[in-house]
Amino acid sequence: MSKEHVVRNYIAGQWRTAEAQGFLDVENPATGEVIARTPRSTTTEVDRAVAAARQAFPAWAHMSVARRVSWLFRWREILMKNEEKISRILVEEMGKSLSDARAEMKRVYQNLETACAAPMLQQGSKLVDCAGDIDGEEMHEPIGVFAAITPFNFPAMAPFWFIPYALATGNTLVVKPSERVPLTLEAITEFLHELELPPGVYNVLNGDKDASIALVNHPDVKGVSFVGKTDTCRIIASRCAELGKRCQAMGSAKNHLVVMPDYKQIDELIRNMSTSCYGCAGQRCMASSVIVAIGDAMYERISATFVADSRKYRVDNPLNPDVLEESLVIGPVISAQSQAFIHSMIEIGVREGATLALDGRGIRVPGCEKGHFIGPTVFTNVRPGMRIHQTELFGPVVCIMKAGSLDEAINIINNHPYSNACSIYTQNGYEARKFKLNVETGMVGINVGIPAPVPFLPFGGMKSSMLCDIKMQSRSAFQFYTHNKVIVERYWPTE
Amino acid sequence: MSKEHVVRNYIAGQWRTAEAQGFLDVENPATGEVIARTPRSTTTEVDRAVAAARQAFPAWAHMSVARRVSWLFRWREILMKNEEKISRILVEEMGKSLSDARAEMKRVYQNLETACAAPMLQQGSKLVDCAGDIDGEEMHEPIGVFAAITPFNFPAMAPFWFIPYALATGNTLVVKPSERVPLTLEAITEFLHELELPPGVYNVLNGDKDASIALVNHPDVKGVSFVGKTDTCRIIASRCAELGKRCQAMGSAKNHLVVMPDYKQIDELIRNMSTSCYGCAGQRCMASSVIVAIGDAMYERISATFVADSRKYRVDNPLNPDVLEESLVIGPVISAQSQAFIHSMIEIGVREGATLALDGRGIRVPGCEKGHFIGPTVFTNVRPGMRIHQTELFGPVVCIMKAGSLDEAINIINNHPYSNACSIYTQNGYEARKFKLNVETGMVGINVGIPAPVPFLPFGGMKSSMLCDIKMQSRSAFQFYTHNKVIVERYWPTE
Amino acid sequence: MSKEHVVRNYIAGQWRTAEAQGFLDVENPATGEVIARTPRSTTTEVDRAVAAARQAFPAWAHMSVARRVSWLFRWREILMKNEEKISRILVEEMGKSLSDARAEMKRVYQNLETACAAPMLQQGSKLVDCAGDIDGEEMHEPIGVFAAITPFNFPAMAPFWFIPYALATGNTLVVKPSERVPLTLEAITEFLHELELPPGVYNVLNGDKDASIALVNHPDVKGVSFVGKTDTCRIIASRCAELGKRCQAMGSAKNHLVVMPDYKQIDELIRNMSTSCYGCAGQRCMASSVIVAIGDAMYERISATFVADSRKYRVDNPLNPDVLEESLVIGPVISAQSQAFIHSMIEIGVREGATLALDGRGIRVPGCEKGHFIGPTVFTNVRPGMRIHQTELFGPVVCIMKAGSLDEAINIINNHPYSNACSIYTQNGYEARKFKLNVETGMVGINVGIPAPVPFLPFGGMKSSMLCDIKMQSRSAFQFYTHNKVIVERYWPTE
Amino acid sequence: MSKEHVVRNYIAGQWRTAEAQGFLDVENPATGEVIARTPRSTTTEVDRAVAAARQAFPAWAHMSVARRVSWLFRWREILMKNEEKISRILVEEMGKSLSDARAEMKRVYQNLETACAAPMLQQGSKLVDCAGDIDGEEMHEPIGVFAAITPFNFPAMAPFWFIPYALATGNTLVVKPSERVPLTLEAITEFLHELELPPGVYNVLNGDKDASIALVNHPDVKGVSFVGKTDTCRIIASRCAELGKRCQAMGSAKNHLVVMPDYKQIDELIRNMSTSCYGCAGQRCMASSVIVAIGDAMYERISATFVADSRKYRVDNPLNPDVLEESLVIGPVISAQSQAFIHSMIEIGVREGATLALDGRGIRVPGCEKGHFIGPTVFTNVRPGMRIHQTELFGPVVCIMKAGSLDEAINIINNHPYSNACSIYTQNGYEARKFKLNVETGMVGINVGIPAPVPFLPFGGMKSSMLCDIKMQSRSAFQFYTHNKVIVERYWPTE
C-alpha cells in the first residue's frame, strides 16, 4: 500500500473512484506512515450507493434463500484461502498482532456460517385452523436497504456482524467502514467481486461522519447498524426511531473481571486476564480493563502477580518479523489522538490517587518512532467513581480494585455507566450462578476473560452499552433483518 | 357509574385515590352523560407507581416462571366468569356493541393463554462446547419496570397486549389506560386484586398526556409500549431510543380491501367487508376503510351492493335493549370532537370530488340526542391521493376505489402513508400468494376482512404504522419483554 | 370405597359397566382391605372404546387448537379445586404419603399447563420460495387414536404424561390405568365428565394385560404409550414397530447418587438422598437406590450418617391421622407379592456378601397387620455386579458403594443395565460438567436427589430404560403426538 | 470401470480390500456390461467397521460442533467441483439420465448445507428457575455408532440423507450402499478421504443382505436408517425396537396425482406429470404412477394428452452422446429381474381389464441389446383395487383413473396401502387446502408433480410408507441423531 492508493467505493457490482469532498489519511499506526487515503464520499455518492442497493432489492428478496446463501458459502471459502493476505493488510492498517488478526478472521467465517443456515432460520411459522377454518402464517420477510457503519478496531469482523445476515435474509446493504481502516474490507470485497453476486446487493461506501449522517437520513435506507461510542449511539438510535427505521447501536464498554478469594489456578487466571486486557492493545469492546479481587489476600496477590505478568508483554510493531508469531505482543493504539487521550487519563488516574503500579508511557520502539505505542499500564488502589474507572480508555490500561464480597463486586458492575460484559473466576457452581443471574451486563463470562459469544449466540451489551432492542449474530441477527408479516387466510367452499 | 365516581389508581397492591392535578370527564358516548371522572395523576403519583413496580421487580424476576403464570391462569378464569359484567362497563364507556365487547374479551383471554405458555417460551438456549470445552448459553431475562399507554378503542384488549407478557416474563408494569375509558381496566383490576398478586408487580395509573410523558421520561422505566397515532409514536419512539429504553409504538392505519374481478361469493364478501368497516363504528386499527375493486364491472357491482348493505346497519345506543343482541349495530364514535373531525373530513371528501353515495351525518337516535353518532357513510369514485383516502378517520366512513389490475391495487396500498393491514378477496391461489408476498403491510388477509392475528401470532403494522422493531403478542412479545443475556462458561480441571 | 364398587369404564362420554371377563381386587396396600374391583374388560369392550375414539377423531382433529385446549384449562382448574379429595383416593389405593400425593397432583397440573401451550407449540413452519416460486410447509398433524397404558406408582401423574398432549394436539385417546389403582383416574374423570368434552375424545378402559394386548394390536390404535418394566417395553415396542405404530415405552430404573469426597453440606445431602430413596416407599422410576461415595472417608461418613437418618423415617399407614401431615413417612409397597420379592432380594444381598446395615423386614404397623410394609433398608459394602445392585427392587432398599474416583463412579453408572437417571453432589463446576456430559442416563441431577424434569422439559431415560425414540412431556410430547406432513406448493400465473 | 474393479471398503480412514464371502456383479443397466464387483463383506468385516466407528465416537462427540461441520463445508465444496465426474459414474451404474444425476447431486449439497447449520440446530434449551433456584437444561447429545443402509435408486442422495446429520451431531457412521450401485459412494468417499476427517468417524461397508443383518444386530450399533421396501422395513423396525435402537425405515410408495376438472394450464400440467412419472424410469419413491382425473371430461382429455406426451420420451442409453443433454430421456430399469417383474405386472393389468393405452414393452435400443429398457407405458380405465394400482412397480408405468369428485379422489389415496406422497392440480385455494389437510400421505404437492421436500424440510411418508417415528432431513434428522438428555441442577449457598 502507499499514500497514492485512494480507497475505492464498490457500488452496483463495480469498483469506482468515489465522488469525494476531500480525503483522509490511512495510517499504519505502528509506523505513522500514510498507507492510503480514504475519500470523503459526497451525498451524491451516498445516493448512488443506496440507489444501487434499492434497485437490487426486489429480485434479491424474491430469490430462493438457498440460492442467496450459495454466495456466502463461496465467499467463506475464498476468504479462508486468502486469510493470510487479508490478515496482513488488517495488521498494517489497524496495528493488532497477526495472531489477533487471524483470530478475527475466524469470526468472519463463523458469521458467514451462521448466515448460511438461513434456509432453516428464516422459516416462518404456520398455525392451521387458528380459528375456525382460518389459517395464520408468520413470514420473515426482508425489509430493503440497510446501512452498516463499522468501527476501526475490527476491520474484518465488524462488517461481518452485518453483511452475512443482511444478504442471507434478502436485504441489500451499504457498508461504510471506518475511514481509518478501509483497506481490509476493500481486500475482502475484491474476493466477493470474483463471485458475481448480483450487482447492488452489496456495496461499500468510504467516507467519514458526513457519509454516515447521509446514510442514516436517507429515505431509502430502512435500517442502520452502528458500532461506536455510546454518545453517537444515542444520536443515531433516536434519529432512526423518529424516521421509523430499524436500528442497532452498540456502544462503549468497561468490562470487569471478578476473582473469588479462594481461586486456585492463579497462573491460568493471570494469563487469562492479561490476554483480555492487552489483546489489540485494549481496543476491543470485549477487552477487560478492571480487575476486582475479593478480599485482601487475593487483592494483594493479584496486584503483584498481574503487574509481573504484564511486564512479559512486548510492545512492538506487530509486523516486525521477530514478533510476527508471538502472542504476548502489544501493538500500537490506533492514532496519535488516541494515544494522547490515554496519556491524559493516566495523568488523571495518578491525580485521583490511584497507584500507578506499572507505567506504559514513554515506550520507544526502535524503528517505529512515529508509532502510537503505549505499554502495559496498571493502576492499583482504584476505587469506584474514579474517572479512570468510569471512562472507556480503549488502551492497555488496567484498573485493579478490591471488594469485600461477591455482592459488593456485583454492585460495582451494576452501578457502572457501561454494561457490556464482565466475568468471574470461580470453581464454585453456586457463585457462578449467582453472578450470571445478577450482573447487569449483556455478556457474562465464567472463567473466561473475553466472553465474546461465538456467532451461534447473540452478541451485544445492556443498558448504555446497547442502545437498541435487538442484538447482533445468531437468531437475533435474523430478527433484526426481517419483518414478521402475518397472513390470515381463509377460503370459502367453492360449492 | 356516575359522575361522582373518581377512578382510582392501583399501586403496590392497593387501591388509592390519585394525587391529581385535575380531573377529566368520562362520558358515555351514546348519551353524552358523564359517568365518572379520570384523575390527572401528578408526577409524584407517577413516581409512586414506578417506585412500587421497581421495588417488586427483583423478587418477581427471580420467581419460577411457572409460579408467575399461575396468577395469569387464575386471572383468565375469573375474567371469563365475569365477562358479561366487564363487557357492559366497556360498552358504556366506549360505545361499541355488546357483541364486539364480548369478542374483545375473547382476545383478553387468548393473550393471557399465550403468556401462560411462558415456561416453554421463555426458555433460553445452550450450546455445549461452543468452542473447546467452553459452553455458551442464551438466557431470556426480564428487564425491569415497563409502562403501557393504551388507547380508547379497546379498553380491555389493548392493556392485555402487554400485561400478560410483561408479567409472565418477570417484569413489573405500570399501565396508563386512556383517560376516556378507564373504567374497564378498573373493573378488570378488581378481579386481579382478589388474587393476591405480589404488591407492585402490576399497577394502574390514571391520567392524561402529562402522566404519559412522565412515564416515558422516568429513569426507572425500562421500556414503553404505546398504541395511538403515528405522530405521537414518532415522538415516543425517538425519546425512548435516546434514553436507551425498549419501545413499542403502534400507529395509525388505513386498511384496504381488494376484490378480484371474478370473485363469486358476493353476499359473503359484502358482509365480510361491511363488518370490517363498521364494527366499533370504524374505530379499530384493523378496520378497513378503503375498498379497491379490480375492473369496471366489479367496481360497479361492489359500489351498488355495498351501499345497499350499509343501509341495513342500525345506528343506536348499543345498550338499548332492542339491539343488545344484534350484530348489525353501529354505536357512537368516542367523542363530540371525533364526530366533528369526521364530519369535516366528509365535507372535504365532497369538495375533493368523491361521490358521497351514502351520508351518515345528521343521524338522530331517539333518547340519545347528545350521543356522538355517525351513520354508515360511503364515498365512491375515490382516487388515491385524496385526503379522505390519505387520512385515518376512525369512523364508519368507507372509500370505494377502482383499479385496473391487481398490480395497480398493490401499488395503491404500498404508496399509502399507512401500512398496517390489507386484504384480498380471491379464490385463486396464485393471486393470493402474489398479494401476500408483495403488499407492504404488517398484516395481510386472504378473504378475511379483519386480518387481526390471534395472540398466537404477532400483531403489528409496517413502516409508518409501527415505529419500532418488535411486534406485540406471541413470540414477539416474549422478545420485547426479555433481554437475551449470553453466558460463556468454562471450568478448568480441578486437580 | 368398598369391595362392592366395580370400577366403571368411560367410553364415548358415558360411564358404563364394563363387559368383563372377570374382576381383580383393588387393595388398600396399607391395610390389605379390598376397596374396589377392577373389571377385566373384554376384547369387545376394547373395540368399543377404540371405536368411540376413532369416531371422535375427525371433528376433534379439525377443531381449532385454541378451542381444544380450552377444555384443558378448565380441567386443570377443576382438578386443583378438588386436589384434596383426589389425593386421598390416591393414597388409599396406592399407599404413598399424602404429601407425596399432593406433589403428584402438581405434576398433573403442570402437564396440563404445558399442553395448554399447544397453540404456540403445534405451529408448523413455512419456507417461502424454498425453490423458485415454490413454497414448502411443515404441518404438525394429529394422527388418530392413541392408547396409554399406565403403571400403579403414579395413579394421577402417569396418565397425565399423555392425556393433555394427546388431546391438545387433536388426537383421541384410550387410557388403561393400572388394574391395581384405577380409582384415582376414575375420580379425575368424573371432573372431566362435567366439562362436556366431545364424546369419545377421551376414554378410560379398565382391565389387565389382556386389555393391554388388545389395545396394542388394535388396527385403529395408531400409537401406544407404556410405562412399566423393561421386558414388557421390549415386547410392546417391537410389536408396535412391526405394525407401524408410534410407541413410547418407558422401562426400569436403578438410579445412582454420587457424592464427591469434599462435599460440605452433609446434612442437606443426607436428607436430599433419603427423600429420594424412601419417597413412595422407593416405588418411583426416579427414586434413587444406589449411593456411590468417592473415597474412603466420604464412604465411611455417608454410610454411618445415612443409616442414622434412615432410622428417623416412620413406617405407617399414610392415612393414619398422626402422620397425615408428616413428610418422613414410609407407607406400604403396593402388594404382598412385591413385598415378598423385595424380601427375597434382601436375602440375596446378604448371601452375596453385602452388609445389611439396616434391616427393614419384619416391621409391624399396629392396626395394619395385613399391610405390605417394609422399613428403610440399607446395604453397605455393595459391589457392582451384585444382584441387589443390578436389579430394580421398587422398595425402600438402598445400596451404598464406594468408588475411588469420579471416573470410576461414572463407569459404574454407564455399565449398569438401566440408564434412567443419576445425580452428583458437588459444588465444583468442573466436576458437575464432567458428570453431566459423561454419564449415560436420560436424566441427570446436580445436587438434586430426584432429577425429575418439570413438564416444561422432556422426561425419559436412555438405553434399556427407554425403548423408544421420543420422550414424554414438553416439546417431545408434541413430537410424539403429531406427524410432520410436508406440503410443497406452487401456483402458475393465471393469465 | 471394469469387471476387475472390486469395490473397496473404507474403514478407520483407510481404503481396504474387504474380507469377503463372495462377490456380486455391478452392472451398467443400459448395456448389461459388468463394470465392477461388490464384495459380500463378512461379519468380521462388519465388526471391523463398527469397531472403528465406536473407537472414533468419544473424541468426535466431544469436539465442538462448529469444528465438526468444518469438514462438511469442505466436503460440499469438493463434491461441487467434481459433480460431473461423480454424475457420470452414477449414470453408468444406475442408468438415470445425466440431468437427473446432476439434480441428485444438488440434493447432496443441500443436505450437507442443512447439516452445516448444526451449531444453530443442535443447541439445547435451558429453563432457569424451573422450580425454586433449580435450573433445567435439555441437551441434544450424540448417541454413538449409526448404520445407514441405502437403496439403489439414489446412489448419491440417499447416503446423504444420513451422513451429514449423523456426523454434524457427533455420531459416527457405517454406510452400506446398495450392492448394485456401490461406485458412486466410492467416488464420493475418495474426496472425503483427502480432507483428513478423523479416522473411523465415517466408514463405508460393501455387502449384501448379510451385512445389513449383521449391522442391525450389532450391539454397538445404536441406530439404523434404512430405505427400501415396506416388508423389509417392518422386519428391521421391529428388530431395532426389540434391541432398543433408534430406527428410520422408509418404505414403498404409489403416488397419486389428482387433476381438478377445471384445471386450465393443460400443457404445463401434462409435462409436470410425465416428468414425475418417467424420471429415473419411474424408480423414485417420489415418482407418481397414478393419475386421478376428476370428471369425465378431464379424464378423457388427460388420457389422450398424456399418452401423446408419453410418446415424446426417448428410451435410450443415457450415456449415448446424442441424448446426454436431453431431458426427455428414459434410461433402463436397474436389472433384468426388475424388468421381468414390471413386464409381468403389465400382463396382469391387461388381464384385470385395464386398457393398455401405451405399451412400453419390447423396446429395442440399438447397441444396448442387453440393457433393461421399458418404454413409457400407460394404462387407462384403471380402478382402485386392481393389482397394478395396489403394487409398487418402480418402472415407467402409469395408471390413469377417473373419480367423480375431490372427495372420491381423496378416498382413493387414503385407502391405498402406501402413503408416501400425492399431489393435486388446482388453482383454487379452497380445494388446495382441503386436499392438503385431508390426504393421509407424508408429503403433499399442490401443482407440483414431485413434492420432494428440499432438505430444509423433513422427508418421509406416512402409515406403511414410513415404519418409524422420525423423518429424514431438516430438524427431524437432528432429532433422530440426538438424545435429549435433561439436567436438573441446583447449588446450595456456599456458607
Side-chain angles (χ1 to χ4, degrees), chain D residues 280-298:
Chain D
C280 303
Q283 300 168 107
R284 295 190 287 203
C285 66
M286 295 303 291
S288 297
S289 50
V290 187
I291 295 169
V292 185
I294 310 291
D296 290 335
M298 184 53 84

Side-chain angles (χ1 to χ4, degrees), chain C residues 15-28:
Chain C
W15 287 111
R16 50 175 276 127
T17 304
E19 188 178 311
Q21 56 189 10
F23 298 89
L24 297 163
D25 287 345
V26 179
E27 235 188 21
N28 177 337

Side-chain angles (χ1 to χ4, degrees), chain D residues 461-476:
Chain D
M462 197 183 263
K463 299 195 292 192
S464 60
S465 290
M466 186 178 99
L467 275 287
C468 58
D469 295 353
I470 305 180
K471 293 192 169 184
M472 309 182 298
Q473 298 190 160
S474 185
R475 284 175 210 84
S476 295

Side-chain angles (χ1 to χ4, degrees), chain D residues 320-373:
Chain D
N320 175 348
D322 292 355
V323 304
L324 208 54
E325 299 298 332
E326 294 294 320
S327 63
L328 297 193
V329 173
I330 300 180
V333 296
I334 191 65
S335 64
Q337 184 186 5
S338 172
Q339 188 191 38
F341 168 70
I342 296 164
H343 282 175
S344 75
M345 287 304 301
I346 294 173
E347 211 46 63
I348 286 169
V350 172
R351 268 188 272 128
E352 283 176 311
T355 305
L356 185 56
L358 182 64
D359 186 354
R361 291 174 296 182
I363 291 275
R364 288 282 170 275
V365 175
C368 292
E369 284 69 17
K370 292 191 176 163
H372 318 306
F373 294 96

Side-chain angles (χ1 to χ4, degrees), chain B residues 66 73 76-77 81 113 117 119-120 123 126 129 135 428-430 433 436 456 474-475 491-494, chain C residues 66 73 76-77 81 113 117 119-120 123 126 129 135 428-430 433 436 456 474-475 491-494:
Chain B
F73 274 98
R76 173 187 173 278
E77 180 189 333
K81 288 202 178 118
E113 289 165 18
M120 296 302 300
Q123 293 186 21
K126 180 100 182 248
D129 266 327
D135 300 336
N428 183 304
Y430 177 78
R433 183 178 191 267
K436 78 178 184 181
F456 318 122
S474 185
R475 284 174 209 86
Y491 287 99
W492 302 103
T494 308
Chain C
F73 274 97
R76 172 186 173 279
E77 182 190 331
K81 288 200 179 119
E113 289 165 19
M120 296 302 300
Q123 293 185 21
K126 179 100 184 247
D129 266 327
D135 301 336
N428 184 304
Y430 177 78
R433 182 178 191 267
K436 77 178 185 181
F456 317 122
S474 185
R475 285 174 208 84
Y491 286 100
W492 302 104
T494 309

Side-chain angles (χ1 to χ4, degrees), chain A residues 77 123 135 428 433 456 494, chain D residues 77 123 135 428 433 456:
Chain A
E77 180 190 334
Q123 292 186 21
D135 301 336
N428 184 303
R433 182 178 191 266
F456 317 122
T494 308
Chain D
E77 181 190 332
Q123 293 185 22
D135 302 334
N428 184 304
R433 182 178 191 267
F456 318 121

Side-chain angles (χ1 to χ4, degrees), chain A residues 65-66 69-70 73-74 76-77 81 110 112-114 116-117 119-121 123 126 128-129 131-135 428-431 433 436-437 455-457 474-475 489-494, chain D residues 65-66 69-70 73-74 76-77 81 110 112-114 116-117 119-121 123 126 128-129 131-135 428-431 433 436-437 455-457 474-475 489 491-495:
Chain A
V65 58
V69 297
S70 70
F73 274 98
R74 292 162 66 202
R76 172 188 174 278
E77 180 190 334
K81 288 200 179 119
Q110 287 184 324
L112 282 162
E113 289 165 18
T114 308
C116 284
M120 296 303 299
L121 300 180
Q123 292 186 21
K126 179 102 185 244
V128 172
D129 266 326
D133 289 325
I134 297 182
D135 301 336
N428 184 303
Y430 177 77
E431 291 163 355
R433 182 178 191 266
K436 77 178 186 182
L437 293 187
F456 317 122
L457 292 165
S474 185
R475 285 173 208 85
E489 181 169 333
R490 179 230 332 251
Y491 287 99
W492 303 104
T494 308
Chain D
V65 58
V69 297
S70 69
F73 274 97
R74 292 162 66 202
R76 172 186 174 278
E77 181 190 332
K81 289 202 179 118
Q110 287 185 323
L112 281 162
E113 289 165 19
T114 307
C116 282
M120 296 302 300
L121 300 179
Q123 293 185 22
K126 178 101 184 246
V128 172
D129 266 327
D133 290 324
I134 296 181
D135 302 334
N428 184 304
Y430 177 78
E431 290 163 354
R433 182 178 191 267
K436 77 177 186 182
L437 292 188
F456 318 121
L457 292 165
S474 185
R475 284 175 210 84
E489 180 168 332
Y491 287 99
W492 303 104
T494 308
E495 55 266 73

